[in-house]
Amino acid sequence: MFAIQEAWGKNYGACKLPTYTCNGQQIQMASFKGYKMFGVNAYSKHQAWAHKFADWITNEQNQILRFEDRSQGPTNVVAAASDAVGRVPAIVAVIEQSQYGVLQRVGNSYWSPCTTFADTIAAGNPDNMPLQDLMDRLVKGITASVVQ
């Protein structure tokens, strides 16, 4: 069970993002979407075992277990089609919204600069850094090369 579902009890619910009116037209709000992928290094010394592990971690049984233990939506299509998954409002909302989502493609240098920026803003910009400087620092961090 989701912590929020437990906290809100019968008042818990979820839905896809709404539409809004702009210049007389209804616009569906978009979102980012992504995926989790399990890859196998083609140069692995233990490629056969790596493939077995990838097959095992993504199989129907393990995806159901992941759903039951962690309340995470399964990526295995058979597991995702279960009645239990269909009764979780948050997962249903994500599935409904996914048709309006745009694939999120970010590199490894994205998350740390965004966290720093968000923490600074949430703290009320305690150093009173000009907002343009904050934005410039954010962009510089996101676009920085990860090769050293």
Side-chain angles (χ1 to χ4, degrees):
M1 176 179 284
F2 295 106
I4 196 80
Q5 185 176 3
E6 190 172 304
W8 288 348
K10 67 177 182 159
N11 294 319
Y12 165 75
C15 64
K16 73 167 189 62
L17 294 174
T19 61
Y20 62 94
T21 304
C22 179
N23 198 24
Q25 293 184 358
Q26 282 298 112
I27 309 287
Q28 173 63 54
M29 291 182 75
S31 56
F32 286 115
K33 63 182 178 180
Y35 56 90
K36 300 286 184 206
M37 190 164 77
F38 205 94
V40 173
N41 184 337
Y43 300 103
S44 172
K45 293 178 185 177
H46 306 285
Q47 200 176 79
W49 281 108
H51 278 283
K52 287 179 183 184
F53 180 67
D55 288 340
W56 177 81
I57 199 105
T58 59
N59 73 28
E60 178 183 353
Q61 180 182 358
N62 282 317
Q63 290 290 299
I64 290 171
L65 183 63
R66 179 176 172 244
F67 167 72
E68 291 171 347
D69 286 354
R70 298 182 173 180
S71 298
Q72 294 180 349
T75 55
N76 177 283
V77 293
V78 177
S82 77
D83 290 339
V85 171
R87 288 190 299 270
V88 178
I91 294 174
V92 172
V94 166
I95 291 168
E96 289 176 2
Q97 180 63 34
S98 67
Q99 65 183 308
Y100 306 108
V102 176
L103 185 59
Q104 182 180 27
R105 297 173 190 211
V106 296
N108 292 333
S109 60
Y110 177 81
W111 296 109
S112 291
C114 286
T115 299
T116 301
F117 176 79
D119 288 346
T120 301
I121 295 298
N125 191 9
D127 296 330
N128 293 315
M129 183 178 284
L131 293 180
Q132 186 61 56
D133 291 351
L134 282 173
M135 294 297 295
D136 291 345
R137 187 171 67 179
L138 173 64
V139 170
K140 184 177 179 181
I142 290 172
T143 58
S145 172
V146 293
V147 178
Q148 307 223 345

